[in-house]
Amino acid sequence: MLLGDSLAAGYGVERVEQTPGALLASGLAHHADRRVYLRGLAVVGAQSSGLGPQVDRALPIEPDVAIIVIGGNDVTHTVKPSDSVQHLAEAVRRFRAAGCEVVVGTCPDLGTIKPIPPPLKQIARSWSRRLAAAQTIATVEEEGRSVSLGSVLGPEFASAPALLFGPDQFHPSADGYQQMAALMLPSLLASLGQQPDDERLPEAFRGERVLPIAQAAIEAVRTPGTELGGTEVAGNRRGTRGRWVELRHRRRRADGPSDGPDEREHDPAAIAVEETAAGA
């Protein structure tokens, strides 16, 4: 189940298979070697306050995993981070209570969007990073996983804006959405127990470790692709500095084979992905 705003819906691309939902679903199907049914409920222009109705539509379908990407419109509409996070936390809480895994892509860095001039650019960057850190903490506290999406509009996009930004210079291009999906796919696989055996425990040489949640959230905002999830230390979920979390830098997975038009025509799973993603 895919929920959120225009970034989740893949606004601006020409073909449904270029949307984040289709990329993630096909990547999951390839690596898990299973059919995947995707339902996209993301709404272009949605703010965090709009997550409630999306969750209402999602829960009766009993999804295995919900992917949420939200926050950019909260920043552009100057919504208080505390208000935004309250809505996200409630969405994660409802999914987890229903036994559904949750992966949240946190608010991207809006400071690299070309149409935003200084000093608004610096304000947008500060606001989006603060919201991303708060989203991270709220998601982990509600037993979800967060993935930093800073690079969706961050350094890689700043270095190649013509390639990775779409025509409106605000939303990603097809290549940009592909990078976004590549960041989230390893965490999606892990949420469903489909990660490789050698990645089940943190790897110190990759900078992976256990930290208090506030410290980990700040580091995650600085390092795109960082995943945070709750853990225990000596049987305790909390220490003197709050919730314990695992900070992970999972390896990106090679993309699975893309279905061509003829293959999609005869593949019920591919048709389901195309129809539902188009509805988003």
Side-chain angles (χ1 to χ4, degrees):
M1 193 69 63
L2 185 65
L3 305 89
D5 54 21
S6 56
L7 196 60
Y11 178 82
V13 296
E14 296 179 354
R15 300 194 306 272
V16 68
E17 58 266 30
Q18 297 173 324
T19 62
L23 292 167
L24 286 167
S26 60
L28 175 58
H30 173 68
H31 291 288
D33 194 25
R34 298 179 63 177
R35 283 180 176 269
V36 172
Y37 174 70
L38 167 70
R39 182 71 183 270
L41 299 177
V43 176
V44 174
Q47 299 176 26
S48 297
S49 58
L51 281 176
Q54 295 183 34
V55 177
D56 290 341
R57 294 177 59 193
L59 287 176
I61 303 174
E62 299 182 352
D64 296 297
V65 58
I67 303 168
I68 303 174
V69 181
I70 198 81
N73 293 312
D74 295 72
V75 174
T76 59
H77 288 76
T78 62
V79 178
K80 291 182 180 178
S82 57
D83 293 338
S84 301
V85 167
Q86 183 178 355
H87 294 294
L88 175 62
E90 176 64 17
V92 177
R93 185 182 308 122
R94 292 176 65 190
F95 277 122
R96 295 299 293 131
C100 175
E101 299 293 336
V102 181
V103 179
V104 173
T106 58
C107 181
D109 180 0
L110 301 184
T112 58
I113 296 177
K114 290 186 66 176
I116 300 180
L120 293 179
K121 186 181 295 290
Q122 287 73 23
I123 295 174
R125 168 166 288 150
S126 175
W127 199 304
S128 57
R129 289 184 175 182
R130 183 173 55 168
L131 176 57
Q135 288 177 322
T136 296
I137 293 173
T139 298
V140 176
E141 289 285 6
E142 298 297 338
E143 304 300 327
R145 296 171 188 255
S146 69
V147 181
S148 170
L149 292 186
S151 70
V152 169
L153 300 173
E156 295 178 5
F157 278 69
S159 63
L163 176 65
L164 299 179
F165 275 115
D168 64 0
Q169 293 294 296
F170 190 93
H171 292 88
S173 65
D175 288 331
Y177 283 120
Q178 190 169 24
Q179 291 209 25
M180 171 182 161
L183 280 179
M184 299 193 70
L185 179 59
S187 298
L188 174 61
L189 291 168
S191 73
L192 297 170
Q194 297 294 327
Q195 75 272 40
D197 291 337
D198 61 357
E199 289 191 12
R200 295 188 181 277
L201 296 175
E203 300 174 342
F205 74 92
R206 294 175 57 80
E208 298 181 341
R209 57 201 185 279
V210 175
L211 293 171
I213 190 169
Q215 180 181 347
I218 293 173
E219 182 167 334
V221 170
R222 296 171 179 166
T223 310
T226 303
E227 174 196 315
L228 296 186
T231 189
E232 296 183 356
V233 174
N236 298 312
R237 297 172 57 192
R238 295 182 176 275
T240 57
R241 298 171 63 188
R243 183 79 161 89
W244 291 113
V245 299
E246 279 187 354
L247 184 149
R248 308 294 300 267
H249 301 296
R250 298 188 185 276
R251 299 182 183 90
R252 296 195 189 185
R253 299 290 150 205
D255 294 335
S258 298
D259 290 328
D262 293 339
E263 293 171 297
R264 291 198 309 273
E265 183 178 349
H266 300 290
D267 185 350
I271 292 172
V273 169
E274 181 168 346
E275 289 177 345
T276 54

